[in-house]
Amino acid sequence: MRTRAFAIILALATTSTGLPAPAHAAGGTVRFTDSGGIHVVEVRRVDDRQYALRVSTAALGRAVDVRVLLPTGYDRRPGTRFPVLYLFHGTSGRASDWIERGDAERTTAGRPLITVMPDGGFDGDGGGWYTDWADPRTKLGPSRWETFHVAQLIPWIDRNLRTVPRREGRAVAGLSQGGFGAMSYAARHPELFVSAASFSGAPDIAYDPVVSVGATGVISYVAASGDGVHPDAIFGSRLANAVNWRGHDPATLAPNLRGTRLALHTAIGVPGPLDSPVPDPVAMGIEALTHASTVSFHRRLEALEIPSHYDDHVLGTHTFPYWARDLRRHIGPLTRTFAAPPRPPAKISYRSVDPVWSQWGWTVSLKRPKAQEFSELTGASATGFALRAAGTATVTTPASYRPGARVVVRVTRGRTHKVISTAAGPSGRLTFTLPPARGAAVTLVGISRP
């Protein structure tokens, strides 16, 4: 059942962010400190803009690297905050790849932008595929990459640097496996990123049945050959854990991306103007695979009427000269997006396989028979929402009501209607517990003053 929704507009702080001021050492050097589960192992200042860091966290089995590029003149502008681009490497890559091979330092020079490039794998192994692994007990340790990147690294950067710590000041992009990671994180956490870009990425690993066969083979091969673990360690068995694959697949989750500025760059794998005189046949084949994934994802966006910047270069292989070019072409539009960010969707809709999730100020907690199963919130606003989910669902709204106000709502399940009264908490949020059902709609009937 559809419910009427209204535009939720986030209030943007202009002077205070609620974060402590980032610490600085003498001479303008940033002093990176521990917080939020991240321990700083080593800090090396490479030049006036670049830092090379080594950090550890219980989410990962060993320490990893993070490269940070500050805006030109960061030290001389102590009162200015800057947006952040999280930039991911590809399979068997390292945090330094975009610096050493992708021309990121020169491309971002003069831009009012912080660029953060974390490891997405251990010491150049195959890579963690930007997810919390289905099997956390391999020889590599827990391998909770999404927890590290999203739940820990982002808040840690916000506490150590003068960022714009809101969706309007945060973007994500990546190449190849990192292109998948950028789109997966944006689809799973749309309230965090205003922009997402994929350069020769794999944004469809489970939606199209033909494309998914190739994706499954590549991911399983990377796990077994690069990381040296069993092929199903990352997302689980493609058959037995299919819902987990779909729950991290950008194409399956594409409706969540409505309102995010999206960019897709791809080629068909035929050597082009930036290839060496003797092209790499492996790079040709991989680009052909990622091209099929990108085309499938783009068609999915078109079917949903979700706009994107789609650039099929046709000629080009899976090599860094093309990704460096993609970043150069992306950086200008990204700067303009930060200067004039799009508003959040007027109607909040979100789907997830997680048992507990929070997006756009809404929190859904489920008690259900299956560990993973899709739930979907649609048409969510201060006047009501619809939720499709199995099991018992507890829903907490954003702070849209006067604290203590009595709110009368109508709960509809199939042809059954029930009117209940509840009170907004001290924060102005409402909490509903909906009994087991496949779907329910909650509609506001009236509000009385506290």
Side-chain angles (χ1 to χ4, degrees):
M1 177 176 291
R2 295 182 178 179
T3 56
R4 185 168 59 89
F6 76 115
I8 297 177
I9 301 176
L10 300 181
L12 304 182
T14 57
T15 57
S16 175
T17 64
L19 295 175
H24 292 266
T29 301
V30 177
R31 187 171 68 244
F32 291 91
T33 60
D34 297 356
S35 71
I38 289 183
H39 169 62
V40 180
V41 177
E42 181 184 358
V43 178
R44 178 170 59 92
R45 188 167 189 176
V46 179
D47 54 42
D48 61 341
R49 294 184 56 213
Q50 183 186 168
Y51 285 84
L53 303 107
R54 188 112 175 130
V55 302
S56 64
T57 165
L60 301 176
R62 66 187 76 170
V64 294
D65 294 333
V66 179
R67 291 292 180 106
V68 174
L69 280 175
L70 298 178
T72 305
Y74 179 88
D75 296 341
R76 301 189 299 272
R77 303 164 69 181
T80 304
R81 289 187 173 271
F82 299 91
V84 183
L85 169 63
Y86 289 85
L87 187 59
F88 298 148
H89 64 73
T91 299
S92 300
R94 295 174 178 266
S96 58
D97 279 7
W98 276 106
I99 297 289
E100 297 174 354
R101 305 173 65 190
D103 207 23
E105 192 160 12
R106 183 167 62 176
T107 297
T108 59
R111 302 281 182 178
L113 175 71
I114 296 170
T115 306
V116 178
M117 295 152 285
D119 270 342
F122 296 119
D123 302 318
D125 67 1
W129 281 93
Y130 300 88
T131 188
D132 288 0
W133 281 24
D135 184 356
R137 297 175 299 277
T138 72
K139 66 179 184 180
L140 299 177
S143 297
R144 297 168 60 207
W145 291 101
E146 184 174 11
T147 294
F148 167 57
H149 289 139
V150 175
Q152 295 180 332
L153 183 65
I154 289 175
W156 182 76
I157 288 291
D158 287 341
R159 287 191 174 277
N160 280 280
L161 297 174
R162 297 194 311 274
T163 67
V164 178
R166 304 182 297 274
R167 171 182 179 265
E168 292 81 0
R170 193 179 297 119
V172 63
L175 68 91
S176 192
Q177 184 184 136
F180 162 82
M183 287 298 168
S184 182
Y185 285 172
R188 285 176 53 78
H189 308 277
E191 70 170 7
L192 291 182
F193 303 103
V194 74
S195 169
S198 169
F199 311 138
S200 299
D204 181 354
I205 65 168
Y207 186 77
D208 182 275
V210 176
V211 171
S212 68
V213 172
T216 301
V218 170
I219 293 170
S220 298
Y221 174 80
V222 168
S225 62
D227 291 316
V229 299
H230 66 88
D232 296 334
I234 298 177
F235 292 106
S237 164
R238 188 65 183 85
L239 297 178
N241 300 94
V243 68
N244 190 53
W245 286 73
R246 291 187 285 114
H248 293 82
D249 173 42
T252 301
L253 300 176
N256 293 353
L257 290 167
R258 203 175 298 277
T260 306
R261 292 276 171 83
L262 304 174
L264 304 169
H265 293 260
T266 187
I268 65 174
V270 174
L274 303 182
D275 282 287
S276 63
V278 182
D280 181 355
V282 175
M284 295 169 61
I286 295 176
E287 188 66 21
L289 287 173
T290 59
H291 181 263
S293 180
T294 301
V295 169
S296 176
F297 180 67
H298 180 241
R299 289 173 178 167
R300 169 80 161 142
L301 294 177
E302 287 188 316
L304 294 169
E305 298 183 341
I306 296 176
S308 69
H309 172 81
Y310 178 63
D311 198 343
D312 188 340
H313 306 291
V314 183
L315 299 181
T317 63
H318 210 68
T319 53
F320 250 106
Y322 293 102
W323 303 324
R325 178 194 63 184
D326 293 343
L327 182 61
R328 288 193 296 270
R329 293 184 176 183
H330 179 63
I331 202 71
L334 176 61
T335 303
R336 292 191 290 274
T337 293
F338 282 137
R343 290 180 175 180
K347 297 180 179 180
I348 300 302
S349 296
Y350 180 78
R351 66 192 314 237
S352 174
V353 296
D354 298 335
V356 179
W357 53 261
S358 296
Q359 290 294 315
W360 305 109
W362 294 83
T363 297
V364 173
S365 178
L366 299 164
K367 293 182 180 179
R368 58 193 180 189
K370 295 181 179 179
Q372 284 190 313
E373 188 173 349
F374 275 102
S375 63
E376 186 168 13
L377 183 77
T378 57
S381 73
T383 62
F385 62 88
L387 177 69
R388 184 171 181 81
T392 301
T394 299
V395 180
T396 300
T397 74
S400 302
Y401 310 92
R402 295 186 301 275
R406 300 297 301 182
V407 179
V408 180
V409 298
R410 182 173 63 247
V411 180
T412 303
R413 297 169 57 207
R415 297 182 179 180
T416 303
H417 304 278
K418 181 179 181 181
V419 176
I420 62 174
S421 176
T422 187
S427 64
R429 300 174 185 272
L430 297 177
T431 298
F432 305 90
T433 297
L434 305 176
R438 276 290 168 181
V442 177
T443 307
L444 184 72
V445 177
I447 302 177
S448 61
R449 293 185 179 277

